Every structure is written in structure tokens, then in C-alpha cells.
Amino acid sequence: MKNIKSMLPEEIAADFEAMGLPKYRAKQVFKWLVRGVGSFDEMSDIPKPLREKLEEEYSIYKPKVLSKQVSQIDGTIKYLWELCDGNAVETVVMSYKHGNTVCVSSQVGCRQGCAFCASTIGGLVRCLEPSEILDEVLFSELDSGKHISNIVLMGIGEPLDNFDNVMKFLKLVNCPDGMNIGMRHISLSTCGIIERFDDLAEQNLQLTLSVSLHAPDDETRSKIMPANRGRGVDELIAACKRYYDKTGRRISFEYAMIDGVNDTEYHARLLAKRAKAVCAHVNLIPLNHVEERQFKPSTDGHMKAFIKILEDSGVNVTVRRKLGGDVDASCGQLRRKMQKKK
Ligand code: SAH
């Protein structure tokens, strides 16, 4: 059976045409899907015999809420969804002055093995389908009643390890008849799978590419991010430069401040050089403590000194505000808790 929620309106239309159905049927069905129905039977303006026929041809799955936590501090919502095969992924809804941002997962687990990250403990289970990533956005909006205006692909998984499905998801979420979220409101975060940077640039999307840099030198970066081994920071910066030259879109460097690991003056100076080489924006993240990991967040003093060096060098720096501290709202923590209970 075909998963109809992973299909673009034009693909549904082509299928329907081949079945001899009138054009407007595809539009009708797509509209129902965007409303979050779980079966063709709910599509009340489609004749019953056709609904039955479509039920045989296509599947529609609706994720179940396994848990929903709402932060008492800032209203951040964290969902744990159950997928059709019993796997679970997390989605976080954050409210900012400029609108609501949803942070979505792109895989069940992750094979990249970053030493400070909770999502990667237990490795990769499988990639998410385009429809499953879309459902995270759709059902977060429908369940929370909060209109989603921005998306960050910063949940569980490495989006560039699920390239085709992520590209399809982007097209789906961008559909004018669908959720209609503009590419400029979407950020894709990667640990630096540089083999896919040129492919991504080729897509000519207006999204923001976030690179999880976390260290400006090979010695430190290879220690905490296995993805750096065999690639290297010089290669990564070169790939960023090509991406920027081709798309004209400024890249953002994510940098989690880890006590005694990547937060020295040496790191700050080299980071400034790296960022300036590609006009990147630096987003510092206070490290989230993960139970299984030995790392600690940098002290306020070290962070201040680090920021000053970057700013004095003329680098554009922001510090990510910590949201949802009381709801395990950093990627992989909730799924991890559930795994431990099992
Ligand atoms: N695989 C992608 C996207 C998912 S992770 C990537 O690596 O970019 C989203 C971001 O959260 C990445 O920048 C990642 O390095 C960061 N991250 C993971 N664990 C963290 C932790 N414990 N504290 C702070 N940031 C963390």
C-alpha cells in the first residue's frame, strides 16, 4: 500500500488521473490530510465507494501521543509520538515573540555518535518517512493549538543521513495547499556530512543550514564528534564556503559550550577565524547535561570570556536561550527515558 501522506498534491493528482478520477478529488483528499484525518472514512465529501477504493490503495497513519509535557517555566511543549511500528520520536514546540518554532526529529536514533548527545545512545534504528516528519509538525500544531511558523530540524537524527526523505518532507511542508511554511522559516542542522552539502545547495532552497561545529580544530572535534574523523574541519569549512557561494545563504555554526573541552581562549580565537572565513553566524548553546555523559556545561565566566573574544573579532554571536529545562526538552532525552523503563 502507498503511504499517501508522503505524496505531493501533484503526485496524488497523477495517481488519481490514472485511476480515471476527476482532478478535484486529489485536491479534496489533500485538504483532508492537512486537517489530520486518520482514515479515508472521515473524508465526508468523498462518496463512500470511492473512500473504500482509496482505503485499499493507500495507507494513512496518525501518530499517537505517548506523552506530552508542558514546561511550567516557559510553556515549551515536548511530545513523544508513537509511530506505526511502535518506535517513538520526540518533537518540541517552543514559543518565541516572533512565533512558534517546532523542533522535529528526522530519524529514530542516530548513527553519528556525538559524545555529548543523548539521541545517539543505542545507535540508529531507522529513518523517518517524509510523512512522519510532516506529522510531527502537523500534529504538534493541531494538538497544541499553536500556529507553527518556524521549523528546526534539530531533534533526533542526522537529516543529511536521510537526505531524500528530508527533501520530500521540505516540499510537503512548503506546499501552498498544505502547511505552507516558507523555506526561510526552516533550519536544517547537520553534524557535517559534507558529501551532501553540494547536493543540498543544488536543491536551491532558501532554508538556513546550521552546522554543528562544536570545535574549530580537528583534535577537539574528532574527540567529541566521530563524524569529523576522516573529514576534518578544513574540509568542512571548504564545503560551507561552497554552500554559501552557491546559495548566498549565511550558515550558522552551532557551538555547545562544554567545560574544559572546547571553551578555552584558543578555541575562541580559532572559532572566530573559522566563522569569518565563511561569514557564518555563531550560535552558542549552553550544554544540556545528559545523565549518561560525563560532560558539564561551561561556567558563566568562561562563556562571557569566549563571547567577548568572538565579538571583538567582529563575529556575529548569539546565545541560545534555554527553554523547557523542566521537560527534558533536549533531543533524545525523553525517548531515552522510555527505553530505560522498558
Ligand atoms: N544531527 C544534527 C541535528 C540534531 S542535533 C546535528 O548534529 O546538527 C541538534 C543540535 O543539538 C546539534 O547542534 C547537536 O550537536 C546539539 N546537541 C546535542 N546534544 C546536546 C547537548 N547535550 N547539549 C547541547 N546541545 C546538544
Side-chain angles (χ1 to χ4, degrees):
M1 261 206 274
K2 271 186 171 174
N3 171 0
I4 197 166
K5 282 163 86 175
S6 283
M7 293 169 73
L8 291 164
E10 56 267 31
E11 292 172 328
I12 300 176
D15 255 30
F16 280 22
E17 204 187 323
M19 284 192 262
L21 297 171
K23 261 210 172 106
Y24 66 92
R25 290 290 183 215
K27 263 203 163 184
Q28 272 178 315
V29 166
F30 192 76
K31 277 210 174 117
W32 280 107
L33 295 176
V34 178
R35 273 182 243 167
V37 298
S39 70
F40 287 99
D41 223 30
E42 292 165 60
M43 304 184 182
S44 54
D45 55 2
I46 309 274
K48 193 153 172 45
L50 179 55
R51 277 187 259 157
E52 282 167 2
K53 184 173 165 163
L54 294 175
E55 202 80 58
E56 281 166 21
E57 294 279 330
Y58 303 99
S59 64
I60 300 179
Y61 184 79
K62 204 173 155 166
K64 290 184 199 80
V65 180
L66 276 182
S67 88
K68 175 184 181 180
Q69 293 173 257
V70 183
S71 164
Q72 299 301 306
I73 306 168
D74 51 48
T76 296
I77 307 173
K78 178 123 188 180
Y79 289 103
L80 186 68
W81 308 105
E82 186 180 57
L83 307 174
C84 61
D85 60 356
N87 276 304
V89 287
E90 291 160 52
T91 307
V92 183
V93 182
M94 298 160 286
S95 301
Y96 296 98
K97 270 188 228 108
H98 60 263
N100 301 308
T101 297
V102 70
C103 174
V104 298
S105 299
S106 56
Q107 296 180 310
V108 180
C110 182
R111 66 185 183 114
Q112 294 301 333
C114 296
F116 44 82
C117 180
S119 305
T120 192
I121 304 170
L124 175 67
V125 178
R126 70 168 173 90
C127 286
L128 291 185
E129 294 297 318
S131 63
E132 292 175 317
I133 312 175
L134 184 70
D135 278 344
E136 295 182 63
V137 185
L138 180 62
F139 289 102
S140 291
E141 176 164 293
L142 292 174
D143 184 89
S144 69
K146 290 183 178 199
H147 175 69
I148 304 293
S149 46
N150 297 279
I151 302 172
V152 294
L153 281 139
M154 293 189 182
I156 300 171
E158 167 51 48
L160 297 188
D161 266 345
N162 187 16
F163 192 85
D164 294 342
N165 288 351
V166 166
M167 292 308 118
K168 188 71 178 282
F169 153 72
L170 292 172
K171 283 185 193 145
L172 284 166
V173 82
N174 185 235
C175 272
D177 288 337
M179 296 198 77
N180 196 18
I181 298 179
M183 289 293 172
R184 285 174 182 269
H185 296 266
I186 301 177
S187 293
L188 185 153
S189 183
T190 176
C191 63
I193 308 301
I194 48 181
E195 305 84 283
R196 299 322 296 254
F197 278 30
D198 296 329
D199 301 329
L200 186 64
E202 283 298 323
Q203 306 276 323
N204 209 5
L205 305 169
Q206 294 294 303
L207 54 73
T208 300
L209 179 61
S210 291
V211 173
S212 300
L213 189 63
H214 302 319
D217 62 301
D218 284 330
E219 199 194 329
T220 315
R221 195 163 192 269
S222 291
K223 230 183 262 163
I224 54 176
M225 300 181 72
N228 194 62
R229 300 173 199 157
R231 291 189 176 101
V233 180
D234 286 343
E235 286 293 318
L236 175 58
I237 299 298
C240 289
K241 178 88 173 55
R242 284 199 306 278
Y243 184 88
Y244 178 58
D245 288 346
K246 164 108 186 149
T247 63
R249 303 281 301 161
R250 272 179 96 158
I251 288 176
S252 152
F253 283 160
E254 306 293 304
Y255 201 100
M257 302 279 298
I258 312 175
D259 187 43
V261 173
N262 64 357
D263 62 351
T264 67
E265 187 184 323
Y266 161 76
H267 293 106
R269 292 199 191 287
L270 189 54
L271 172 60
K273 218 172 110 190
R274 300 292 201 184
K276 278 163 72 178
V278 291
C279 294
H281 168 105
V282 174
N283 192 208
L284 297 177
I285 314 166
L287 182 82
N288 272 306
H289 179 69
V290 173
E291 225 174 80
E292 290 86 347
R293 307 301 207 188
Q294 73 277 29
F295 298 112
K296 286 194 310 240
S298 299
T299 61
D300 285 349
H302 281 159
M303 256 183 113
K304 274 202 191 105
F306 202 88
I307 294 167
K308 183 155 188 330
I309 294 173
L310 290 171
E311 282 176 342
D312 288 350
S313 322
V315 175
N316 190 329
V317 198
T318 47
V319 180
R320 183 176 303 163
R321 194 157 58 98
K322 199 168 160 53
L323 290 174
D326 54 338
V327 294
D328 303 314
S330 64
C331 57
Q333 292 188 357
L334 203 58
R335 176 171 167 266
R336 182 79 197 123
K337 252 190 199 166
M338 188 195 70
Q339 282 175 325
K340 275 203 243 167
K341 265 194 224 147
K342 271 191 181 169

